[in-house]
Amino acid sequence: MDRENSELTFDQVAKKYPDFPRTILRKIDTALRGVVLTEKALERAKEEGALFSGISNKPALLFGALFRDGTWVLGLETYLQQLPCKAIRKGNPYILDVLDGKLWLLDGLPRPFAQDKNVNQSLDAHGLPTRLSARQVFPRAKGRGEPVEEIHFVPIPKYYCKKTSRGIPMSEVVNARFPSSLAITVLHCRFDQEKNLGDPAKAVTCKFCFYATPLFRRKEENYTPESLEDIYETVKEALKEEGRWTSIHLVGGSDPRGMHQNGAYPGNLPREIVKDTSNFISRDKPYEKEVEEDIKVLKTLQKYFGTEKIPVRAIASAFPREQLLRLKEAGLSAYNSHIEVWDEKLFAWICPGKAKYFGRQYWIDSILSAVEIFGRGNVSTQLVAGAELAEPYGFKTIEEALESNLECADFFARNGAYTTFCILWVGQGSVFYAEKQKLPPLEYYVKLAKGFNEIRKKYKLNVGFQDYRRWSNFLDTDLARIDHA
Amino acid sequence: MFKLPKEVVDLINDPESIKIVATADEKGNPHCAVKDFFTLLEDGNLAFAEEFEGSQTNVNLVRAIWFAKNVELTVRGKDGTTYQIKGKPYKYFYTGPLFEKFYLAAREKWGPDSELAGVWVITPEEVKNETYEVRKKEEDKKHPFFRHLDRSSVRRTKIQNSKSEISN
Ligand code: SF4
């Protein structure tokens, strides 16, 4: 199948794959096309406590929304916390509006909503023409679009309105993700430090990534006893909301700095030295800084839970065996390290930072070591599905891309690690955004989800921390809901 | 929306009545489970708590909501009054006020280590009175020859006689 040729529409894909759940198909489509809220829908979000306006100098944030079956609605990212306000989408966005007192996702042209202030602003974020030019660009549309799915909002966590005892807003200490998870940003990705701004070809950030931009930088270089106390207090407060949380995830980018040649860790050295990554790159203890910070947070959480093993997954860089063992000792239950792109050449091109520190085989070896340490099914990796199709070096056909990704999933599953994939999101701040990369067709993701799910079943792997409600980005793990029994 | 009769509503709201949820798996194999927390919502839908994400009921309900399959709920009161409600899963909540209400009720009943995966909301489409006496009348009328000959309604005199013979 050629990338440009004959992309099937939503209805055609639904007809071709009758065994693929409609809501998951819609989830893919909302990710590709985006969702725009009308003023009425925003008002409803406010009434239902799903809108958070507690962060000064930032617009109100929407916590998120679910389809009837509890599947997370993608495509709302431009309303969500900390994410870039602009993204490259495919075609017209869905409109979220209130009809007969219920929230509906409408599939139609945005023109009938040209007078809606919020729709208008959001169209701009989608790179689509706003009110002034909408009349010329969008053909006349009858009615306000077809209501395709009823959805409901997820309320903002109660702890978001609180502050720690030293006055830090708790929403900034621990970030609630998806309906049921708490995420702690352990460190900021260092790969952007080597970015040669203005020359995307020389950047070492992953090309699809906007997290490495200064927007996501953690204020402090290292956790201090005070900031760890903030975490302790915030988790304690969050868990007062009974029945809300089911897992904690340590997140952040990559920090390849290891131990300095004089034996000190970056946290104990002057800023000028710490800033220069090359001062710390050593194959003996790579990523030591990242491990150190993870351990500080894990020990804080161990203190809170009062148990040795704690319900925490780390989404982290590739660590050598000895560091993985230390994380396990600190209570970590599951480990996830993202390979992002499987094909060797494309990995080097799309993830130059990971390729530099310290190459594809190093990342693969780390994931396999982690299986020995954390156990089968407690280790996973992730692909950014669609990145491998980026131009000019990516796969030219969907079939090649599919084959490569399924080969990755099968390889890791054979070795006890599970591979998930997220839908490529081309957000402002990423190299791909600057390059105006395109999104793959809807059908590609259906084939991937089915293929990954079959592999998971074949090797009898659990979805664990990454199911539909704990880390709701994925599609294959959504499908696993009917295999749990 | 289909409206449940008052008698059924009362039975659902009675904490002492028994509530059973029947679902089917991919191959059509039936599965029944007794449910403790069951309520009628203001909009006419029924809601019940599902304890485990991996239970056969939950898995079957997910399949039912994905592929528009029916489920059946049976409610039986202390006096034997029984109703069967056929419906479709409409929503599944695992956050928000409705879920929180059920979660706290489960905590109160089962203690601090209790688990509750979510709350299923079912839209009723059909209700049938399955109480023994009611069903008997219906069947007798519909299939008058499907009865045993020694039933009192068939051999009324004889049975009365035999009773009097015994008492004599
Ligand atoms: S995706 Fe790559 S660049 Fe982005 S945060 Fe992760 S490691 Fe850093």
Side-chain angles (χ1 to χ4, degrees), chain A residues 169-445:
Chain A
M170 288 186 171
S171 61
E172 290 175 18
V173 178
V174 177
N175 197 227
R177 295 272 177 97
F178 308 114
S180 318
S181 294
L182 296 169
I184 300 172
T185 307
V186 174
L187 82 166
H188 173 69
C189 188
R190 292 288 299 185
F191 289 167
D192 78 310
Q193 303 279 307
E194 296 178 39
K195 190 171 170 182
N196 184 348
L197 287 172
D199 183 358
K202 285 188 184 158
V204 298
T205 49
C206 302
K207 287 188 164 47
F208 49 79
C209 178
F210 44 83
Y211 283 105
T213 57
L215 179 75
F216 293 95
R217 199 179 299 280
R218 239 167 55 81
K219 285 188 193 116
E220 299 153 319
E221 170 75 21
N222 303 300
Y223 276 112
T224 59
E226 294 75 27
S227 53
L228 292 170
E229 184 58 26
D230 288 334
I231 292 180
Y232 184 92
E233 287 177 21
T234 306
V235 170
K236 188 176 169 195
E237 187 62 39
L239 267 89
K240 285 185 187 161
E241 192 174 353
E242 289 182 87
R244 179 78 197 247
W245 309 113
T246 56
S247 56
I248 301 179
H249 306 253
L250 307 187
V251 297
S254 277
D255 190 339
R257 291 176 298 173
M259 198 187 280
H260 190 250
Q261 52 266 38
N262 71 8
Y265 294 121
N268 306 326
L269 290 163
R271 245 184 121 65
E272 312 79 69
I273 301 179
V274 173
K275 260 188 157 179
D276 183 0
T277 305
S278 61
N279 277 323
F280 297 92
I281 304 307
S282 121
R283 292 298 298 251
D284 298 339
K285 283 200 167 189
Y287 295 96
E288 180 61 18
K289 165 77 165 59
E290 195 176 324
V291 174
E292 282 285 301
E293 294 299 300
D294 278 336
I295 288 176
K296 285 186 204 170
V297 178
L298 287 169
K299 291 206 160 142
T300 305
L301 295 170
Q302 257 181 339
K303 194 169 82 178
Y304 173 73
F305 283 100
T307 53
E308 262 179 37
K309 192 173 173 184
I310 46 177
V312 181
R313 170 179 75 130
I315 304 175
S317 296
F319 303 138
R321 201 183 156 78
E322 186 253 331
Q323 287 164 317
L324 292 168
L325 281 166
R326 281 163 56 210
L327 289 171
K328 191 179 181 193
E329 265 167 42
L332 190 70
S333 292
Y335 171 78
N336 173 296
S337 176
H338 295 179
I339 192 84
E340 320 285 16
V341 178
W342 179 241
D343 179 83
E344 199 167 350
K345 280 195 192 123
L346 294 177
F347 175 84
W349 173 55
I350 297 170
C351 306
K354 293 190 179 195
K356 187 171 175 187
Y357 305 113
F358 295 95
R360 179 174 175 266
Q361 195 55 48
Y362 166 83
W363 283 72
I364 293 172
D365 290 345
S366 165
I367 295 164
L368 301 185
S369 302
V371 177
E372 286 169 30
I373 292 162
F374 294 97
R376 228 183 103 78
N378 296 325
V379 176
S380 55
T381 187
Q382 184 190 297
L383 294 167
V384 177
E388 70 288 358
L389 284 154
E391 288 174 351
Y393 306 114
F395 292 116
K396 299 289 175 272
T397 68
I398 295 298
E399 281 74 17
E400 285 171 292
L402 197 65
E403 194 186 324
S404 169
N405 286 341
L406 292 176
E407 183 188 289
C408 171
D410 196 85
F411 168 79
F412 282 114
R414 239 185 359 254
N415 289 288
Y418 182 48
T419 308
T420 52
F421 69 91
C422 66
I423 295 175
L424 172 66
W425 198 60
V426 186
Q428 193 175 28
S430 66
V431 176
F432 277 179
Y433 183 85
E435 291 175 351
K436 297 192 172 56
Q437 293 288 355
K438 291 188 196 122
L439 298 172
L442 174 66
E443 188 184 6
Y444 177 53
Y445 289 109

Side-chain angles (χ1 to χ4, degrees), chain B residues 46-149:
Chain B
L46 290 161
F48 64 86
E50 175 51 53
E51 294 84 17
F52 306 110
E53 198 70 52
S55 73
Q56 189 65 57
T57 299
N58 200 49
V59 165
N60 292 350
L61 282 161
V62 172
R63 188 177 289 105
I65 199 169
W66 281 354
F67 301 111
K69 304 277 182 218
N70 280 331
V71 296
E72 210 157 65
L73 316 170
T74 303
V75 200
R76 186 182 172 94
K78 268 190 299 186
D79 65 352
T81 308
T82 308
Y83 280 94
Q84 220 167 57
I85 305 156
K86 202 186 274 176
K88 283 204 169 62
Y90 166 51
K91 276 185 183 174
Y92 180 58
F93 287 103
Y94 52 92
T95 62
L98 183 71
F99 172 75
E100 210 176 306
K101 205 169 130 190
F102 275 82
Y103 191 85
L104 295 178
R107 273 289 151 100
E108 208 175 303
K109 182 166 180 174
W110 294 319
D113 197 33
S114 57
E115 188 51 274
L116 192 83
V119 175
W120 281 99
V121 176
I122 308 290
T123 300
E125 291 179 342
E126 209 182 303
V127 67
K128 222 167 135 190
N129 192 331
E130 288 287 336
T131 310
Y132 176 71
E133 286 305 330
V134 176
R135 286 291 296 121
K136 194 168 72 171
K137 263 187 214 148
E138 281 173 6
E139 284 298 312
D140 286 351
K141 199 170 161 203
K142 209 168 153 194
H143 307 292
F145 302 115
F146 286 4
R147 294 186 285 181
H148 282 96
L149 300 182

